[in-house]
Amino acid sequence: MRFLITRYTIPKDIRLWTMALFHLAFAQIVLGTQIRGTLERLVELSPLLSDSERLGRVGLINHLHLALGLTIAACTFVFGLRVRKSRDSVPLLINYGAALAVILVIVQIILGFTFIVFGLIPLVQLFHLSVASLYLGMLIFILSATFIKKEE
């Protein structure tokens, strides 16, 4: 049964990629909450500003969030390709987890650019944070699967 994790020797670089992506994603969520807090303060201080004007006033942290998001996206695509390349030595659960991580990143990019095009729609903000949480959870799942010892 190919889905059993314990029959595989999982390449060490998959664990390292997963750990790196987890730390980057966690930092990205922290930056996102900082942006959200800044936007809420801007609404109180300048209620007549449009959403795009508010985003423009967030400053450097908004640019860092965008750059880190694109970095995470690129790294997730490379990670997905790495797992796919090793698919015979990696259990299906990790293969599917990596594929889902790539899909979640694509959804995140779409949601992030929705903010830029359509403004800060509260429902989109909720989905953006929810997908980020799912992505982080998927990385935890993949990472935990890499620590299971092979049966002798």
Side-chain angles (χ1 to χ4, degrees):
M1 298 187 134
R2 200 165 165 258
F3 66 91
L4 293 175
I5 294 173
T6 54
R7 295 188 180 191
Y8 295 89
T9 303
I10 298 165
K12 297 277 188 223
D13 67 326
I14 290 178
R15 181 181 299 157
L16 294 174
W17 271 100
T18 309
M19 290 170 64
L21 285 170
F22 176 82
H23 286 94
L24 290 172
F26 189 80
Q28 179 73 334
I29 290 173
V30 170
L31 285 175
T33 58
Q34 291 297 111
I35 291 171
R36 177 73 181 147
T38 302
L39 288 170
E40 287 178 8
R41 282 192 299 281
L42 285 172
V43 168
E44 293 173 7
L45 296 173
S46 305
L48 300 178
L49 290 177
S50 69
D51 287 345
S52 61
E53 291 172 321
R54 280 190 209 114
L55 274 175
R57 291 191 181 190
V58 169
L60 178 64
I61 198 164
N62 193 34
H63 300 294
L64 288 173
H65 186 68
L66 177 62
L68 185 56
L70 293 174
T71 301
I72 290 170
C75 289
T76 302
F77 290 129
V78 170
F79 172 69
L81 290 172
R82 174 65 184 99
V83 169
R84 181 115 174 103
K85 186 177 175 183
S86 310
R87 70 176 170 258
D88 293 335
S89 63
V90 175
L92 277 177
L93 292 174
I94 293 178
N95 276 294
Y96 290 152
L100 184 56
V102 170
I103 291 168
L104 290 171
V105 161
I106 292 169
V107 171
Q108 276 299 82
I109 291 170
I110 293 168
L111 291 171
F113 283 113
T114 301
F115 289 141
I116 296 169
V117 175
F118 297 109
L120 302 169
I121 303 165
L123 186 61
V124 176
Q125 292 175 7
L126 173 68
F127 287 140
H128 192 61
L129 185 56
S130 298
V131 173
S133 299
L134 287 172
Y135 177 78
L136 207 57
M138 184 52 56
L139 292 175
I140 291 170
F141 170 79
I142 295 168
L143 186 60
S144 64
T146 66
F147 282 99
I148 296 174
K149 299 289 184 202
K150 183 180 178 181
E151 286 181 353
E152 299 301 326

